[in-house]
Amino acid sequence: DAGVTQSPTHLIKTRGQQVTLRCSPISGHKSVSWYQQVLGQGPQFIFQYYEKEERGRGNFPDRFSARQFPNYSSELNVNALLLGDSALYLCASSLGSGANVLTFGAGSRLTVL
Amino acid sequence: AQSVTQPDIHITVSEGASLELRCNYSYGATPYLFWYVQSPGQGLQLLLKYFSGDTLVQGIKGFEAEFKRSQSSFNLRKPSVHWSDAAEYFCAVVDDSNYQLIWGAGTKLIIKP
C-alpha cells in the first residue's frame, strides 16, 4: 500500500511568489494535517482537515491556506512568500480527527530566495 | 500551554552502546506521548506511542520508552545502538485543545564506529 505522498519534493521560489503543495493520504485515511519544520526545530502545526472541513489551525498568518478534496487529498497554499517560509512542509494522514497516530509523508522542501 | 522539552540537542554514542534520549512534557492529565525518528531527507517515522496502560512501551527497531508521571518524562531507550540508528529523534505530546502534536526540538543521535 502506498504511504502518504507529497509533491513536489523540492522547490525554489522567490519572495512574493505563491506556492501550492500537494498531499495524498493513505487509502482509507480521512484526515490530513500539515506541519512546517524549520531547520533545526521540531514541526509546527499549520492545519488539519477532516472530511473536507477545517478542524484545526495553528498560529500561522492568513497567507497560509489549505483545502481537502472529495478524495481526501489536500493542498497547502502559501501566498506572498517570505524568506522565513523556507522550511520542510510535512503532510500527515490519520483515520480520524481525534488523538490518532499520524503517518507522515517525506515532505516538500521549500526554499525562498 | 502544553510543551515538550528535549534537553539534549546532540548525543554521541559508540556503536553497540546503550542509549537514552530524554523527553519531559508539561501537562496536567495523562498525556498521549509519541517518539518519532527522522532520517536525513526523510519524513517522520513513528517509533512508539503511549496512550494508557503499561508505562513501559515497546516500539519498532528495538526501542522502548517509559512513561513516568512523577517525573513528567517519557525517555527513549535502546540497549545496543547500530550505525543505522543515526538520525534525529523527536518526542511529541497531543495538544488536548486540537488533538494535534506539540513537538520537542529534537535530539540528533551520532554514532561513533
Side-chain angles (χ1 to χ4, degrees):
Chain A
D1 284 343
V4 177
T5 57
Q6 293 186 242
S7 63
T9 54
H10 295 83
L11 66 167
I12 300 173
K13 295 285 188 178
T14 57
R15 282 177 295 177
Q17 285 189 312
Q18 174 264 342
V19 67
T20 298
L21 308 177
R22 297 176 176 81
C23 173
S24 293
I26 290 173
S27 178
H29 284 192
K30 298 181 178 180
S31 175
V32 169
S33 298
W34 287 94
Y35 286 81
Q36 181 196 63
Q37 186 179 19
V38 173
L39 198 62
Q41 297 181 18
Q44 297 287 320
F45 169 63
I46 310 175
F47 283 110
Q48 185 201 15
Y49 277 77
Y50 177 71
E51 290 279 17
K52 302 182 290 295
E53 292 188 359
E54 181 182 305
R55 290 299 186 95
R57 183 184 185 115
N59 188 25
F60 280 81
D62 292 342
R63 299 184 295 108
F64 288 76
S65 63
R67 55 180 174 168
Q68 187 176 35
F69 298 98
N71 66 354
Y72 302 110
S73 67
S74 178
E75 286 182 352
L76 174 70
N77 294 284
V78 186
N79 292 323
L81 285 167
L82 303 174
L83 296 179
D85 295 330
S86 296
L88 180 67
Y89 288 84
L90 294 161
C91 173
S93 73
S94 61
L95 284 169
S97 62
N100 290 273
V101 173
L102 300 180
T103 302
F104 285 85
S108 293
R109 172 74 63 185
L110 171 65
T111 301
V112 182
L113 301 178
Chain B
Q2 293 164 264
S3 65
V4 175
T5 301
Q6 293 181 249
D8 304 304
I9 298 174
H10 298 96
I11 280 189
T12 302
V13 298
S14 299
E15 190 170 15
S18 64
L19 171 70
E20 183 168 26
L21 301 182
R22 296 183 290 165
C23 173
N24 293 99
Y25 64 89
S26 68
Y27 188 61
T30 299
Y32 293 164
L33 293 158
F34 301 81
W35 276 100
Y36 280 83
V37 61
Q38 187 175 38
S39 298
Q42 304 282 323
L44 292 148
Q45 182 183 22
L46 177 69
L47 287 176
L48 46 78
K49 66 183 185 295
Y50 174 78
F51 281 10
S52 65
D54 193 346
T55 56
L56 184 63
V57 293
Q58 303 297 319
I60 63 171
K61 304 184 181 187
F63 285 92
E64 67 178 26
E66 187 170 12
F67 171 62
K68 292 186 177 180
R69 182 189 301 277
S70 62
Q71 297 176 21
S72 297
S73 68
F74 188 56
N75 293 348
L76 183 71
R77 300 193 294 247
K78 186 170 185 177
S80 176
V81 298
H82 186 261
W83 65 267
S84 61
D85 293 324
E88 190 148 22
Y89 292 79
F90 291 92
C91 180
V93 65
V94 171
D95 183 343
D96 62 359
S97 69
N98 61 15
Y99 297 115
Q100 290 303 311
L101 294 180
I102 298 171
W103 299 79
T107 297
K108 186 173 183 178
L109 176 62
I110 301 164
I111 307 295
K112 288 191 302 185

